[in-house]
Amino acid sequence: MKYNIKIIMSKAWEIKRQNSSNDFGLCLRWAWEMAKAPVKGEDHYIAILQKIVDASAQPEGWHLEAIARLWEKNGKSRTYFSIVETRINSKHYVVKEYGYYDNVEKCYVPSRRNNLDVTLYTFSGVKIA
């Protein structure tokens, strides 16, 4: 199978611009993984988010919610993924970003700290078996 190197390099630089703390080698590796991976739709990543929420045991009074937000502007269309942790009768509000799915190029772009394409962890960082 032939790959378009120009598209892969462009995707790597796009990831680098969005996550400036990552070294370019890691961004290039992600771009290659996206190019080689079978095409998965945004529903696949929403299901993974829900799996993380379901596996995260929270004490009573705490609430986790998987969020998928659609963003469209200037011919771009993305679905951003996050998990929101709140607490009843408190101002506690924590959001973990999990990157986005590019609806135009049909690929997933991970956030700097969280990637839905790697080993799954709960919201608090415990590995899912």
Side-chain angles (χ1 to χ4, degrees):
M1 176 176 210
K2 286 187 150 189
Y3 296 99
N4 188 333
I5 303 298
K6 182 178 179 181
I7 292 174
I8 294 170
M9 290 300 284
S10 297
K11 179 57 74 179
W13 279 111
E14 180 183 337
I15 295 169
K16 175 65 175 168
R17 281 191 299 276
Q18 292 169 355
N19 305 310
S20 60
S21 65
N22 290 335
D23 67 312
F24 185 71
L26 179 61
C27 297
L28 187 59
R29 196 169 328 124
W30 283 344
W32 270 106
E33 287 174 7
M34 284 183 243
K36 291 178 180 179
V39 177
K40 300 174 186 173
E42 65 180 84
D43 294 339
H44 169 76
Y45 297 105
I46 292 171
I48 292 174
L49 271 183
Q50 194 58 49
K51 192 178 201 180
I52 293 170
V53 168
D54 294 343
S56 298
Q58 294 293 316
E60 190 173 329
W62 293 78
H63 178 71
L64 289 179
E65 182 179 2
I67 305 285
R69 294 182 327 264
L70 179 64
W71 175 87
E72 293 177 330
K73 193 172 188 179
N74 299 330
K76 295 180 182 178
S77 176
R78 297 175 180 168
T79 303
Y80 284 88
F81 304 112
S82 59
I83 295 179
V84 176
E85 179 185 57
T86 56
R87 187 172 179 191
I88 299 172
N89 300 326
S90 174
K91 293 181 181 180
H92 180 80
Y93 186 86
V94 175
V95 178
K96 278 197 178 178
E97 300 291 335
Y98 284 87
Y100 65 87
Y101 180 79
D102 191 326
N103 297 312
V104 175
E105 295 186 28
K106 306 289 187 214
C107 65
Y108 171 71
V109 179
S111 71
R112 184 169 23 149
R113 293 186 195 98
N114 298 301
N115 185 351
L116 296 176
D117 282 336
V118 297
T119 306
L120 293 179
Y121 290 87
T122 63
F123 187 83
S124 59
V126 178
K127 188 174 179 179
I128 297 174

